[in-house]
Amino acid sequence: MTAYLTEHEIKTKLKTLVKQYLDNCRSCDQLSEEFIELIRYTLKAKYANYNKETRTIQIGIKQENENSFYNDIKTFSYSLEEAEKELGKNFNAYQGKQLTYFGKFLNGQQHDINSEVRVIR
């Protein structure tokens, strides 16, 4: 099945979805699996989790280290409001075919190889 979505439509729906995920996080004190997947893809993170004590989202991003055989993982902490802004900023940077994954994500078909999303301007 092919879905046709505009860039604006995808970005708007993503921002609305992030707000819903964050509201859910505030009430449940945890990140949903879908939200973790979205964070990991958007911020190119190795992991994402929620710290209940500090009420922050912690994200680990792989950093190249020339002095070591292994890459380092640098941890970033974002308040829920900062996370919303950071994700929104990253969504705005994507254009055209880069938004295909997000279109599939919004349709709940990110792992379905038979589905297709066409991004139109």
Side-chain angles (χ1 to χ4, degrees), residues 10-86:
I10 292 171
K11 291 175 184 179
T12 302
K13 286 183 178 182
L14 282 172
K15 289 176 184 175
T16 302
L17 185 61
V18 166
K19 286 181 184 191
Q20 292 172 353
Y21 284 146
L22 289 170
D23 287 342
N24 186 45
C25 184
R26 283 182 187 94
S27 63
C28 297
D29 283 334
Q30 64 182 3
L31 298 176
S32 68
E33 289 300 317
E34 295 87 16
F35 193 30
I36 291 171
E37 184 174 342
L38 184 63
I39 290 169
R40 289 184 63 203
Y41 185 86
T42 306
L43 300 178
K44 299 184 181 26
K46 296 301 282 177
Y47 71 86
N49 63 32
Y50 182 70
N51 184 327
K52 292 178 187 179
E53 286 91 38
T54 60
R55 299 189 57 83
T56 58
I57 296 175
Q58 296 176 332
I59 301 166
I61 299 177
K62 188 182 346 178
Q63 302 286 310
E64 299 282 329
N65 185 347
E66 296 175 7
N67 299 326
S68 174
F69 181 71
Y70 299 102
N71 291 323
D72 293 332
I73 303 279
K74 185 170 182 178
T75 302
F76 297 89
S77 291
Y78 297 100
S79 69
L80 298 180
E81 294 77 20
E82 290 171 335
E84 182 178 356
K85 289 177 187 175
E86 188 67 25

Side-chain angles (χ1 to χ4, degrees), residues 69-111:
F69 181 71
Y70 299 102
N71 291 323
D72 293 332
I73 303 279
K74 185 170 182 178
T75 302
F76 297 89
S77 291
Y78 297 100
S79 69
L80 298 180
E81 294 77 20
E82 290 171 335
E84 182 178 356
K85 289 177 187 175
E86 188 67 25
L87 288 167
K89 181 175 69 173
N90 281 279
F91 295 150
N92 287 335
Y94 288 106
Q95 295 179 357
K97 288 189 175 190
Q98 294 174 318
L99 292 170
T100 301
Y101 170 81
F102 295 114
K104 288 179 109 179
F105 185 88
L106 290 168
N107 287 337
Q109 303 169 329
Q110 64 268 31
H111 300 296

